[in-house]
């Protein structure tokens, strides 16, 4: 069993966990109204670092994103002693990493290749093993904590440093504005007057280690579920959120829960969906809070930052209030806490959701637990597919894919699939993953297009969505011709390919996207082992999918079973 032995938060409210908790307990917020900023021709409210704070945090030779991660990890490690050897793994949780530096002529590896940025962070703090980037939209932080916890439970590592970090930029702010999801005023989670979310920037770090002799915070259970409903809209009944909650509270005395810390973005759809899921899970009486009114939505940092604040507030016997909430504005029966209240309980539930249909839940507890290592699964490869511009091979048999003068992905879609017009709306990475998955699933020959909670969809690559990023950048490069496209923005999230495949096939199991500095089968296999710790999962559609252009791509997919 892994326990959390150290943590840190750096935000506009403070550079330590203690400073942040003190500020929030006093009701402070870092949300500020901006009439406009360079590159953003509209007013918005957000939580952003000041110029002075950036100057104090920036490390020479590193980007601001990298500096934030390095500073937070160093703070977290300051008062503990762990050997930074091959038994330590670094996991970075982020949605867009160095995207604030992307320009039309940008070719620096740490911008277009997220894994390189993670590698630089690892080197700076002295970690020698290959780092992992969890790029799972808004649930990235909770996904990363679940991954770190599982890697230790399997005995593959002794320590996991999990750092969630994102910085804001015209790229991200314009993208959320294109969905009409931003509120110009401070957000109001679960409130009847809520108008949308605010964005924020920050970094949060937790360090997992094997059990110590003292009582410590630990993840009793974590689960990730896809609702297989839509890539941008959550299931109205909260199916994915409900399934993730049910997976972690099964067999748990819910009367022992101090609270549910929700995603609580203050958008119409998210808060309504969460309220329905919580009500359907029979958790209506449990105190519920959301912390976006203090920080806004910090994206890849959100799940970790909010977990840390909840842990430390509970240690003080306090449930933090939901800033901005006054009157209930959701139909699901929930017990939203508007101001700080007292609690003596020590368990809590963290829930979160995001684009691509992804949802996650983690049950955390502060207690002494038994140390045990779980067995590593035996993975069996059932089917294998390799697809490149000049080759298609399925289960060792090469197949004809037409001539060299056509777009192979479009050709294969029209020739062998042809019944899913949404294909033409997808970006290159999603089209590649979709075509490759259709071909390998056809080879499998099982019944399709029915709800399936037992299959996970887990993908890897090195460049994330670099091609889609450059396409979206064109729509916001000129303030006088500013037309951010929601359909292009959503595909700048790598995990959307997981969502597209889940929607097509009714897959409601675990979905995750991981970015590595290089293709590494050992590291990929370790991650896949963790998915099988979810006892609902008995098979995984997985592999490496990299797309640079219609003439430069690679998909190596597998169907594996436990």
């Amino acid at each position: 069993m892994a326990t959390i032995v150290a943590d840190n938060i750096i935000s506009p409210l403070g550079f330590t966990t203690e400073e942040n908790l003190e500020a929030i307990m006093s009701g402070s917020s870092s949300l500020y109204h901006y009439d406009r900023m360079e590159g953003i021709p509209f007013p918005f409210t957000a939580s952003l670092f000041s110029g002075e704070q950036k100057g104090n945090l920036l490390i020479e030779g590193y980007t601001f994103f990298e500096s934030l991660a390095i500073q937070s990890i160093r703070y977290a490690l300051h008062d503990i002693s762990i050997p930074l050897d091959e038994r330590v793994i670094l996991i970075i949780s982020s949605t867009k990493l160095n995207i604030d530096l992307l320009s039309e002529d940008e070719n620096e590896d740490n911008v277009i290749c997220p894994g390189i940025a993670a590698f630089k962070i690892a080197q700076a703090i002295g970690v020698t093993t290959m780092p992992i980037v969890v790029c799972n939209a808004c649930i990235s932080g909770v996904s990363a904590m679940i991954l770190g916890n599982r890697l230790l439970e399997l005995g593959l590592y002794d320590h996991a440093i999990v750092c969630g970090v994102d910085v804001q930029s015209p790229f991200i702010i314009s993208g959320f504005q294109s969905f009409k999801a931003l509120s110009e005023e401070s957000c109001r989670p679960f409130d009847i007057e809520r108008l949308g979310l605010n964005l924020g920037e920050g970094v949060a770090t937790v360090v997992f280690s094997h059990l110590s002799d003292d009582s410590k915070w630990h993840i009793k259970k974590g689960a990730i579920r896809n609702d297989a409903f839509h890539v941008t809209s959550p299931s109205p009944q909260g199916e994915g959120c409900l399934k993730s909650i049910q997976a972690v509270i099964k067999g748990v005395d819910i009367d022992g829960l101090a609270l549910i810390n929700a995603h609580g973005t203050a958008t119409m759809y998210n808060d309504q969906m969460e309220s329905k899921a919580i009500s359907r899970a029979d958790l209506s009486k449990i105190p519920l809070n959301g912390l976006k009114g203090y920080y806004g939505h910090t994206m890849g940092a959100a799940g970790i930052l909010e977990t840390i604040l909840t842990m430390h507030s509970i240690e003080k016997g306090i449930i933090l209030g939901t800033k901005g909430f006054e009157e209930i504005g959701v139909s699901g029966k929930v017990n939203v806490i508007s101001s700080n209240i007292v609690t003596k309980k020590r368990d809590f539930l963290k829930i979160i959701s995001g684009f691509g249909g992804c949802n996650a839940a983690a049950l955390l507890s502060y207690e002494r637990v038994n140390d045990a290592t779980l067995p590593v699964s035996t993975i069996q490869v059932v089917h294998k597919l390799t697809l490149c511009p000049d080759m298609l091979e399925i289960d060792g048999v090469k197949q004809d894919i037409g001539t060299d003068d056509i777009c192979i992905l479009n050709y294969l879609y029209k020739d062998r699939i042809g019944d899913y017009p949404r294909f033409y709306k997808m970006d290159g990475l999603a089209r590649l993953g979709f075509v490759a998955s259709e071909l390998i699933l056809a080879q499998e020959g099982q019944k399709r297009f029915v709800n399936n909670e037992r299959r996970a969809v887990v993908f890897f690559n090195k460049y994330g969505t670099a091609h889609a990023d450059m396409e979206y950048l064109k729509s916001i490069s000129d303030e006088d011709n500013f037309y951010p496209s929601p359909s292009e923005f959503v595909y700048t999230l790598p995990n959307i390919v997981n969502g597209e495949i889940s929607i097509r096939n009714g897959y409601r199991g675990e979905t995750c996207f991981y970015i590595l500095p290089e293709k590494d089968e050992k590291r990929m296999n370790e991650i896949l082992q963790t998915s099988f710790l979810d006892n609902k999962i008995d098979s995984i559609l997985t592999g490496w999918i990299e797309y640079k252009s219609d003439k430069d791509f690679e998909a190596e997919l597998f169907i594996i079973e436990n």
Side-chain angles (χ1 to χ4, degrees):
M1 178 68 71
T3 58
I4 297 173
V5 297
D7 60 72
N8 168 263
I9 296 171
I10 297 176
S11 81
L13 287 179
F15 289 3
T16 67
T17 298
E18 293 74 19
E19 290 175 359
N20 279 272
L21 183 61
E22 182 178 345
I24 286 192
M25 291 185 69
S26 68
S28 298
S29 170
S30 53
L31 294 174
Y32 182 79
H33 184 268
Y34 296 86
D35 287 328
R36 62 182 291 149
M37 290 179 62
E38 183 178 354
I40 305 174
F42 55 82
F44 63 96
T45 293
S47 171
L48 307 176
F49 287 103
S50 68
E52 181 181 356
Q53 288 175 322
K54 286 185 175 181
N56 291 331
L57 291 166
L58 190 63
I59 302 172
E60 185 177 355
Y62 295 91
T63 67
F64 184 56
F65 168 88
E66 294 156 4
S67 297
L68 277 179
I70 294 165
Q71 297 278 27
S72 181
I73 294 168
R74 286 175 175 172
Y75 273 121
L77 294 177
H78 184 266
D79 293 326
I80 62 172
S81 177
I82 62 173
L84 298 177
D85 55 20
E86 70 280 356
R87 299 290 295 174
V88 177
I89 184 73
L90 171 66
I91 303 171
I92 300 294
S93 155
S94 185
T95 59
K96 293 310 298 177
L97 289 91
N98 280 313
I99 198 66
D100 58 311
L101 302 180
L102 185 68
S103 63
E104 293 188 46
D105 58 355
E106 183 61 70
N107 289 310
E108 290 188 20
D109 272 353
N110 64 338
V111 176
I112 64 172
C113 181
I116 297 300
F119 185 73
K120 288 179 64 179
I121 295 166
Q123 284 188 313
I125 63 173
V127 171
T128 58
T129 53
M130 177 184 288
I132 301 166
V133 177
V134 178
C135 210
N136 220 24
C138 300
I139 77 165
S140 297
V142 176
S143 298
M145 289 193 296
I146 291 172
L147 174 64
N149 184 67
R150 289 174 175 176
L151 287 169
L152 268 62
E153 285 185 325
L154 286 171
L156 299 174
Y157 297 92
D158 294 329
H159 313 280
I161 302 167
V162 183
C163 177
V165 55
D166 264 310
V167 297
Q168 295 302 328
S169 66
F171 189 103
I172 296 168
I173 295 172
S174 66
F176 277 91
Q177 177 67 9
S178 73
F179 283 104
K180 309 301 180 186
L182 295 185
S183 170
E184 190 177 335
E185 307 302 325
S186 295
C187 65
R188 305 181 65 174
F190 299 100
D191 192 82
I192 195 170
E193 298 291 341
R194 71 189 187 279
L195 297 173
L197 61 80
N198 308 134
L199 290 168
E201 54 190 10
V203 56
T205 300
V206 289
V207 181
F208 288 92
S209 288
H210 276 304
L211 182 68
S212 67
D213 292 334
D214 301 323
S215 294
K216 296 285 186 183
W217 282 104
H218 65 280
I219 297 177
K220 274 190 171 181
K221 196 167 185 183
I224 301 166
R225 294 289 183 269
N226 202 288
D227 63 23
F229 179 75
H230 192 274
V231 292
T232 59
S233 297
S235 162
Q237 297 299 313
E239 289 293 337
C241 184
L242 173 64
K243 294 297 184 183
S244 64
I245 292 172
Q246 290 174 330
V248 301
I249 66 169
K250 185 177 181 180
V252 171
D253 179 9
I254 61 173
D255 289 335
L257 290 177
L259 79 151
I260 303 168
N261 175 241
H263 193 29
T265 61
T267 58
M268 297 303 293
Y269 291 134
N270 175 87
D271 293 10
Q272 170 66 9
M273 176 276 291
E274 285 191 297
S275 78
K276 296 294 288 185
I278 292 166
S279 178
R280 293 178 65 196
D282 296 324
L283 299 177
S284 296
K285 295 181 180 179
I286 307 299
L288 171 72
N289 75 356
L291 303 179
K292 300 293 191 294
Y294 302 99
Y295 294 99
H297 188 350
T298 53
M299 305 195 315
I304 302 173
L305 181 150
E306 293 162 4
T307 296
I308 293 172
L309 289 170
T310 304
M311 291 189 312
H312 284 277
S313 62
I314 287 180
E315 285 183 27
K316 294 181 179 293
I318 298 294
I319 295 175
L320 297 170
T322 304
K323 192 173 184 64
F325 174 80
E326 294 180 5
E327 181 181 353
I328 196 72
V330 291
S331 66
K333 293 182 179 180
V334 288
N335 180 21
V336 182
I337 303 302
S338 60
S339 57
N340 298 352
I341 63 172
V342 174
T343 185
K344 292 183 179 180
K345 299 176 181 179
R346 288 296 185 99
D347 290 8
F348 72 92
L349 180 65
K350 172 61 186 167
I351 62 174
I352 199 162
S353 60
F355 286 158
C358 56
N359 302 266
L363 178 64
L364 287 96
S365 181
Y366 187 89
E367 62 181 4
R368 189 188 300 269
V369 292
N370 294 323
D371 192 8
T373 299
L374 299 177
V376 175
S377 300
T378 300
I379 292 177
Q380 177 185 1
V381 176
V382 181
H383 297 284
K384 178 183 177 181
L385 172 144
T386 302
L387 174 61
C388 300
D390 59 353
M391 184 185 74
L392 170 61
E393 183 176 293
I394 305 177
D395 290 342
V397 179
K398 291 186 178 181
Q399 303 189 20
D400 180 26
I401 55 174
T403 63
D404 293 336
D405 59 349
I406 61 174
C407 175
I408 297 303
L409 296 180
N410 288 352
Y411 170 79
L412 288 171
Y413 168 76
K414 288 184 284 188
D415 185 57
R416 305 198 185 190
I417 307 164
D419 63 346
Y420 200 67
R422 183 176 173 80
F423 171 81
Y424 292 106
K425 296 183 179 181
M426 299 178 191
D427 76 311
L429 184 69
R431 286 189 292 118
L432 172 60
F434 180 84
V435 168
S437 68
E438 288 290 301
L439 297 177
I440 197 170
L441 291 172
Q443 180 76 6
E444 184 182 32
Q446 292 188 4
K447 186 176 181 180
R448 297 179 61 193
F449 317 126
V450 294
N451 290 339
N452 183 348
E453 297 180 29
R454 305 197 68 83
R455 171 155 286 173
V457 183
V458 179
F459 291 135
F460 306 84
N461 78 5
K462 177 178 179 179
Y463 287 96
T465 54
H467 182 269
D469 293 345
M470 294 301 296
E471 289 301 309
Y472 178 74
L473 184 66
K474 296 174 184 177
S475 71
I476 61 169
S477 295
D478 182 0
E479 284 193 45
D480 296 326
N481 194 22
F482 192 86
Y483 57 98
S485 165
S487 60
E488 288 188 353
F489 177 73
V490 72
Y491 287 106
T492 66
L493 298 170
N495 73 301
I496 296 301
V497 62
N498 304 67
E500 292 284 17
I501 293 169
S502 296
I503 293 166
R504 165 69 161 171
N505 293 281
Y507 293 154
R508 294 189 173 185
E510 182 166 300
T511 57
C512 287
F513 201 103
Y514 301 99
I515 298 176
L516 304 175
E518 297 291 344
K519 189 175 183 180
D520 186 299
E521 292 184 4
K522 176 179 180 294
R523 180 68 78 251
M524 293 161 64
N525 187 64
E526 290 174 347
I527 293 170
L528 293 170
Q529 292 280 358
T530 69
S531 291
F532 282 126
L533 287 183
D534 186 326
N535 58 19
K536 265 283 188 181
I537 304 303
D538 55 25
S539 68
I540 306 176
L541 173 62
T542 186
W544 185 271
I545 52 172
E546 195 78 83
Y547 178 90
K548 296 180 181 179
S549 73
D550 281 341
K551 298 295 184 180
D552 186 3
F553 61 81
E554 175 195 8
E556 186 177 44
L557 263 56
F558 303 86
I559 294 175
I560 63 174
E561 294 180 354
N562 182 8

